[in-house]
Amino acid sequence: MENKKIFFKGLNELRAFAALAVIFHHIELFKNSDQISSLLKSIYFSYFIERLGKNGVYLFFVLSGFLITYLLLIEKEKSQTILFKKFYLRRIYRIWPLYYIILIIGFIIIPFLAYTFEIFENTPSFFGLISNQENYSLKSILLYIFFLPNVALSYFQIILVGCSQAWSVGVEEQFYILWPLLIFLFTKRKTLYFFLLLLTFFISSNIFFKLDYVVNNLAVVLLYVYRIISLVPFEYMTIGAIGGYLYLHHNDIIVVFTKSKYVYFLLLSLILGLMFIPFFMTYFQSIILSVLFLCLILITINDKNNFVLRSRKLSYIGKISYGIYMFHPFVMFLVFPFVNKYFPFSTNSFFYNFSVYFFVFSLTILMSHFSYKYFESIFINIKDNKYKTL
């Protein structure tokens, strides 16, 4: 009998919130960079907006760590090994096709449009980045082709319109290369200890290297070590991985603690509080939030908790969230010049903001829908039919 596909209800809804949060952040960030009134300057919302995009990405990271680890551990238990070829091909068929479409958009289509149509000069920050030839150098092209956009963005400060959001995809791909090897090497008993050790290493390294006295007196080699660590924030995926391990091996205990509506609402209150108010150092706050994101995941997938969010519309948005995340900067590039020209902020700020949000969100979702239905699904079907492991 064919094994039933493992599917956790509620995770697509979380993906939807993460993707929409990133769009919201980028809209306000772009408005601010073009000297348009933004919530980034608001007394009450500045911290929330400033961190919203990263928090959405961290939620994606924790989700990835949780799911990949859970599935790999089950696979190892059932077959006593990891089917590396199938694992990597599944990742390739799911990630690569859309990723390279985005590269074509970023390196070819966006510059062509910007230099062909004068209307795109109405967005100075976008046009300034496109006019910077260093962003389109051979180095930049190679870094993106070989899934190192995080290196391009953080190390070389290459900001590529339509593509720079792919930094997180690069981090996840680097994680996918390493993770099945590690799970294969460690025994069941040692796996959790390794996860905890890895998390401790990343957190302590970030604290150590952020001390001004230490950094100013470090050898060059150690500075390069810090740069590498900061480029691959695996601690967030590791938090998810710990959750995947615990959910597999201590499911009965987790189900009991995650079925309470009071725990659920308390958790949501804590998450919202930490997203709006900086209680701790930024890095610590992101780690604490990520642990709470893991708790939210564990509560969300508990079918015995009748209060967790279930929504067919949000679930579908989460289903196409990869496209939403990847396409939205291109949509912003298309939308902002027209809104700036025909509905300027100085004329009517409410209508300007309404137009920006309506067109960016609706066109992004529409584009992602068609991409998923007519392009990505082709490769997803190949992935699921030819390289299924569970």
Side-chain angles (χ1 to χ4, degrees), residues 253-362:
I253 298 174
I254 289 174
V255 168
V256 171
F257 281 99
T258 57
K259 67 181 181 180
S260 168
K261 65 179 180 180
Y262 301 108
V263 173
Y264 179 55
F265 291 123
L266 174 62
L267 179 63
L268 292 178
S269 300
L270 289 173
I271 289 173
L272 285 174
L274 288 173
M275 289 181 72
F276 273 92
I277 304 171
F279 289 103
F280 309 100
M281 186 178 77
T282 302
Y283 178 72
F284 269 128
Q285 186 128 337
S286 67
I287 292 296
I288 295 169
L289 256 177
S290 296
V291 173
L292 296 179
F293 287 155
L294 173 61
C295 296
L296 180 61
I297 289 167
L298 295 174
I299 290 177
T300 299
I301 62 178
N302 188 349
D303 289 331
K304 294 185 178 180
N305 191 323
N306 297 321
F307 291 87
V308 296
L309 178 64
R310 295 283 190 271
S311 166
R312 290 180 62 184
K313 292 180 179 178
L314 278 176
S315 180
Y316 184 73
I317 290 175
K319 186 178 180 180
I320 63 173
S321 59
Y322 179 40
I324 290 173
Y325 182 78
M326 294 299 275
F327 279 120
H328 81 271
F330 177 48
V331 174
M332 287 174 57
F333 165 79
L334 296 175
V335 167
F336 266 103
F338 287 91
V339 176
N340 285 350
K341 182 174 182 178
Y342 297 108
F343 313 109
F345 183 88
S346 58
T347 302
N348 189 321
S349 60
F350 173 81
F351 195 65
Y352 175 87
N353 283 303
F354 174 81
S355 301
V356 165
Y357 275 94
F358 174 78
F359 286 116
V360 170
F361 275 93
S362 58

Side-chain angles (χ1 to χ4, degrees), residues 210-226:
K210 278 182 170 61
L211 297 175
D212 290 339
Y213 174 78
V214 174
V215 170
N216 290 334
N217 291 276
L218 279 176
V220 174
V221 174
L222 290 181
L223 284 174
Y224 275 109
V225 171
Y226 169 66

Side-chain angles (χ1 to χ4, degrees), residues 65-94:
F66 172 81
L67 282 172
I68 291 298
T69 303
Y70 180 81
L71 294 173
L72 285 172
L73 289 174
I74 289 181
E75 180 183 335
K76 188 178 179 181
E77 280 197 357
K78 287 187 175 182
S79 58
Q80 304 304 310
T81 189
I82 300 294
L83 302 175
F84 291 98
K85 179 181 177 181
K86 286 189 174 183
F87 175 84
Y88 291 126
L89 284 172
R90 284 175 63 82
R91 295 298 91 208
I92 287 171
Y93 275 100
R94 182 64 189 102

Side-chain angles (χ1 to χ4, degrees), residues 165-176:
Q165 78 282 6
W167 73 269
S168 63
V169 179
V171 171
E172 293 211 18
E173 286 295 279
Q174 293 148 25
F175 173 77
Y176 295 148

